[in-house]
Amino acid sequence: MKPPLQLLFILILFFFFSTITISSPSLPLPPTPSPTSPPSTPSSPSSSSKSTLDPKQITALQSLNIPTSKDPCSQPSFHNATLCDSSKPFRHLISLTLSNCSSYVSLSFTALKSLSTLHSLNLINCPISPIHFPQELISSLTSFTCINSFHKISGVWLSQLQNLTDLTVSNVQVKASGPYVILSHMNYLKSLTISHANLTGFLPGHIHSNLTHFDFSGNQLKGNIPFSITMLDSLESLNLSSNLLTGEIPSSIGDLISLKNISLASNLFSGSIPDSFSAVPGLVHLDLSSNQLNGSIPKFISQMKNIKYLNLANNNLGGVVPFNLSFIKGLEVFKIGGNSNLCYNRSVLSSKLKLGISHCDKYGMPVSPPPAKDSSADDSSDDDYDDSDDDGGGRKHKKDQHHGPNKFVLGVAIALSSIVFLIVFLIVCSKCCR
Ligand SMILES: *[C@@H]1O[C@H](CO)[C@@H](O)[C@H](O)[C@H]1NC(C)=O
Ligand SMILES: *[C@@H]1O[C@H](CO)[C@@H](O)[C@H](O)[C@H]1NC(C)=O
Ligand SMILES: *[C@@H]1O[C@H](CO)[C@@H](O)[C@H](O)[C@H]1NC(C)=O
Ligand SMILES: *[C@@H]1O[C@H](CO)[C@@H](O)[C@H](O)[C@H]1NC(C)=O
Ligand SMILES: *[C@@H]1O[C@H](CO)[C@@H](O)[C@H](O)[C@H]1NC(C)=O
Ligand SMILES: *[C@@H]1O[C@H](CO)[C@@H](O)[C@H](O)[C@H]1NC(C)=O
Ligand SMILES: *[C@@H]1O[C@H](CO)[C@@H](O)[C@H](O)[C@H]1NC(C)=O
Ligand SMILES: *[C@@H]1O[C@H](CO)[C@@H](O)[C@H](O)[C@H]1NC(C)=O
Ligand SMILES: *[C@@H]1O[C@H](CO)[C@@H](O)[C@H](O)[C@H]1NC(C)=O
Ligand SMILES: *[C@@H]1O[C@H](CO)[C@@H](O)[C@H](O)[C@H]1NC(C)=O
């Protein structure tokens, strides 16, 4: 009698536990140890002798752990890391990208000297040490990118790269008393990005006039926007976001007639949005959010034909929003929340838009503090709002709240019923065995 019953118990216990383990989320497998050893010595002599690249440069590439078993000059190269000219008898590298370097990679002066035909050098996620560049390379480089590489660079080191047309430095600490240290001798720059670099000081009083892209976002720059910037009439994008800039936005900003994208977000700018913005015909992206701008939102913004992105949130703007529904619907991004004196006209815009501001009374003042994200605000607007079939919004939230409990109840029900099933099974079996 007893042995079969015990067996049954064990079986049932096994069954029970196996269902539990199946229903619980499967644990991720422990990561397999990644091979951290340096890659095997690349390229056999035979394959590199077939290459059309200058043998000295092949040796240099190998010292940088760039695979050369396949001809680095054939396109597309491994991760697009290399690009060659077409000189004879040997071709030469004109572009090199080092990305995701292992910590074994180090730049050597000798290697860089034999790579002095490079016009473009890009370092992306390469935590290597900066070194003194050979003069030949400095003269040759027209494009230099350093993203999350070189833990720290000095402005003086960057300033020697005087033939650059493109400079991108991002997520790298740049030590300099101000951007002028870096820029004063770079006379050919077209595109300039020094972002998230903790750069201090003031915007430079003189900037080369052919710049089309200027991005100093995410630094600690202080002071006003100088005239040197508003004189850049080729400028298409200007990004000064996330700095400590102060003062008013100069009305000369309207002189930037080529401007398409501008962000002055997350600074300390005060005063009103200058009317001269209306003189910039091609504006696509306007971000003035998170400043201390006051006054009203100018109506001319709605006449900008190309505007797609408009962010004026978190300022001290006031008055009635001067936009209609068709204008707002044409935008990809529209944010005006966080302006406590701003309100919208309920006969022009619907509360469905969730603008983050309250509607106006008949004097053009906000009726209440801006609606919080709770249901009470939704309810009140549902009550006195007529010209819309507003059913969604508020009720959707309530449904979502039931979602979690429902799943939990379902889980408990399944667990309970399987336990009941097991007990019944046990009883039936024990009776059978007798
Ligand atoms: C290499 O560049 C070509 C053309 O620019 C691009 O289409 C391709 O996706 C790139 N390949 C890699 C691996 O990045
Ligand atoms: C570098 O690493 C990132 C993220 O790990 C990956 O997305 C990217 O494709 C890698 N690039 C190259 C060239 O290996
Ligand atoms: C810039 O390039 C020219 C030749 O193209 C060269 O004569 C000059 O020395 C270079 N400038 C620097 C600072 O290397
Ligand atoms: C900038 O400074 C902050 C705080 O001092 C630090 O957390 C951050 O890593 C720095 N950024 C860079 C790119 O070094
Ligand atoms: C700006 O670019 C134009 C043509 O692209 C060129 O003729 C002019 O010399 C450049 N200006 C300066 C100051 O380099
Ligand atoms: C400005 O830079 C920030 C951060 O670097 C970025 O998120 C934002 O999209 C940029 N805006 C424009 C208009 O380029
Ligand atoms: C300019 O803004 C548009 C719209 O937001 C965006 O798609 C585009 O990538 C931006 N261009 C630059 C260079 O920031
Ligand atoms: C906006 O703020 C400035 C000070 O930053 C003040 O002089 C001006 O009167 C304010 N304008 C409005 C319309 O509140
Ligand atoms: C909405 O505003 C735009 C720009 O001010 C205007 O051209 C358009 O006619 C307006 N549409 C309606 C339906 O009022
Ligand atoms: C709201 O719009 C209506 C119709 O365009 C207009 O008559 C009314 O004066 C506006 N109210 C406010 C406060 O601007």
Side-chain angles (χ1 to χ4, degrees), residues 380-397:
S380 65
S381 60
D382 273 4
D383 290 344
D384 57 4
Y385 202 73
D386 45 322
D387 65 333
S388 81
D389 31 12
D390 190 359
D391 265 357
R395 270 168 225 180
K396 213 173 177 186
H397 283 293

Side-chain angles (χ1 to χ4, degrees), residues 334-413:
F334 178 64
K335 291 182 181 162
I336 51 169
N339 289 286
S340 52
N341 296 321
L342 201 62
C343 61
Y344 66 91
N345 186 334
R346 276 198 298 173
S347 41
V348 179
L349 297 175
S350 108
S351 63
K352 270 202 294 187
L353 286 170
K354 300 262 185 283
L355 298 173
I357 56 171
S358 54
H359 61 80
C360 307
D361 62 16
K362 60 183 170 180
Y363 308 108
M365 302 296 285
V367 289
S368 58
K373 276 177 194 160
D374 64 353
S375 54
S376 63
D378 275 332
D379 288 347
S380 65
S381 60
D382 273 4
D383 290 344
D384 57 4
Y385 202 73
D386 45 322
D387 65 333
S388 81
D389 31 12
D390 190 359
D391 265 357
R395 270 168 225 180
K396 213 173 177 186
H397 283 293
K398 284 163 200 162
K399 257 184 199 164
D400 285 347
Q401 280 171 353
H402 287 302
H403 223 252
N406 273 353
K407 260 187 186 168
F408 179 74
V409 168
L410 198 72
V412 170

Side-chain angles (χ1 to χ4, degrees), residues 13-317:
L13 274 178
F14 175 76
F15 182 65
F16 191 65
F17 276 107
S18 62
T19 48
I20 283 174
T21 40
I22 283 166
S23 60
S24 73
S26 59
L27 292 167
L29 289 170
T32 49
S34 54
T36 42
S37 57
S40 55
T41 42
S43 90
S44 59
S46 67
S47 62
S48 54
S49 69
K50 265 188 264 161
S51 171
T52 51
L53 184 63
D54 185 339
K56 264 198 272 175
Q57 297 200 328
I58 290 187
T59 313
L61 286 183
Q62 285 167 350
S63 80
L64 295 171
N65 272 351
I66 306 252
T68 52
S69 50
K70 185 174 161 245
D71 183 358
C73 289
S74 70
Q75 287 301 312
S77 62
F78 180 71
H79 286 302
N80 285 349
T82 50
L83 192 65
C84 304
D85 66 7
S86 50
S87 52
K88 294 214 164 108
F90 292 121
R91 300 173 75 181
H92 292 102
L93 284 169
I94 53 174
S95 171
L96 176 63
T97 301
L98 296 177
S99 45
N100 300 347
C101 308
S102 80
S103 46
Y104 296 94
V105 171
S106 65
L107 293 177
S108 78
F109 190 81
T110 329
L112 288 184
K113 204 168 163 84
S114 38
L115 292 174
S116 291
T117 54
L118 287 176
H119 297 322
S120 168
L121 178 59
N122 311 296
L123 302 164
I124 300 164
N125 302 326
C126 281
I128 51 184
S129 308
I131 64 159
H132 184 62
F133 277 15
Q135 183 56 44
E136 296 88 330
L137 182 61
I138 287 174
S139 306
S140 175
L141 279 184
T142 57
S143 172
F144 179 66
T145 299
C146 180
I147 298 173
N148 194 30
S149 304
F150 280 179
H151 301 299
K152 191 191 274 186
I153 2 184
S154 77
V156 173
W157 186 89
L158 277 175
S159 70
Q160 37 168 4
L161 305 174
Q162 289 168 14
N163 278 341
L164 292 182
T165 59
D166 293 78
L167 173 60
T168 301
V169 176
S170 190
N171 284 306
V172 183
Q173 177 105 5
V174 175
K175 286 300 244 191
S177 50
Y180 75 94
V181 174
I182 304 161
L183 302 179
S184 51
H185 297 292
M186 290 191 186
N187 292 322
Y188 307 103
L189 276 180
K190 286 193 149 62
S191 175
L192 172 61
T193 296
I194 300 179
S195 64
H196 306 284
N198 283 349
L199 189 59
T200 55
F202 299 89
L203 286 164
H206 176 81
I207 305 172
H208 173 63
S209 63
N210 273 359
L211 266 183
T212 58
H213 296 277
F214 189 93
D215 181 349
F216 268 88
S217 62
N219 287 299
Q220 291 160 19
L221 300 174
K222 293 178 294 193
N224 300 344
I225 296 182
F227 281 115
S228 57
I229 287 192
T230 58
M231 287 186 330
L232 302 171
D233 50 18
S234 305
L235 202 62
E236 291 173 17
S237 90
L238 174 62
N239 197 339
L240 300 175
S241 64
S242 302
N243 277 289
L244 305 168
L245 300 169
T246 49
E248 300 199 357
I249 300 172
S251 63
S252 57
I253 201 92
D255 297 346
L256 296 172
I257 49 165
S258 309
L259 203 61
K260 294 191 171 68
N261 290 17
I262 180 171
S263 177
L264 305 178
S266 302
N267 279 288
L268 304 163
F269 289 116
S270 55
S272 57
I273 299 174
D275 284 344
S276 58
F277 264 123
S278 63
V280 183
L283 212 58
V284 173
H285 185 119
L286 176 60
D287 189 348
L288 304 177
S289 62
S290 301
N291 280 291
Q292 295 158 12
L293 300 172
N294 64 7
S296 55
I297 298 180
K299 182 160 173 50
F300 65 76
I301 291 179
S302 68
Q303 259 106 51
M304 292 181 161
K305 293 272 177 293
N306 298 312
I307 194 131
K308 285 279 173 273
Y309 183 111
L310 180 59
N311 191 346
L312 304 174
N314 303 318
N315 279 291
N316 300 323
L317 297 168

